[in-house]
Amino acid sequence: MNAILSPTKPYEEKKRILTERYHVPMDSEFGKELKLMCNLSDYVEEIGIKKGREEGKTEIIFAMFRENLSDEMVSRLSGYSMEEIRKLRRENAPEKKAR
């Protein structure tokens, strides 16, 4: 299982390990499935990296809000549209407490 699930091993190495070490016949259908799994793990990793960057960027935007920068300035510095900045500001606004 480690050979197939390893995120560091490329497709060709996984294929070689499965055929040589475990004597798994590598017909075209199994090869396609293995390649799909490898591509899928790359895709999942890409999504995770992108999500992490976006979360980091929004944290920086929230820090700019705390420094009382204008929406225009935050938009210009972040590359986000004014609409996106206003939405983030509304989401980040402290809730008003009822008395």
Side-chain angles (χ1 to χ4, degrees), residues 7-24:
T8 58
K9 288 183 177 35
Y11 165 75
E12 290 298 329
E13 186 176 349
K14 290 177 183 183
K15 184 177 173 181
R16 183 187 58 74
I17 290 169
L18 288 171
T19 55
E20 292 176 7
R21 190 180 303 166
Y22 299 106
H23 309 291
V24 174

Side-chain angles (χ1 to χ4, degrees), residues 62-76:
F62 293 153
M64 287 189 261
F65 292 162
R66 289 189 294 275
E67 293 297 320
N68 296 315
L69 294 178
S70 69
D71 288 353
E72 292 80 12
M73 180 63 76
V74 174
S75 174
R76 191 172 42 197

Side-chain angles (χ1 to χ4, degrees), residues 40-56:
L40 183 60
S41 67
D42 291 343
Y43 177 69
V44 169
E45 180 181 20
E46 249 178 72
I47 289 173
I49 291 169
K50 185 176 180 181
K51 184 177 179 184
R53 285 182 182 148
E54 287 301 316
E55 288 175 358

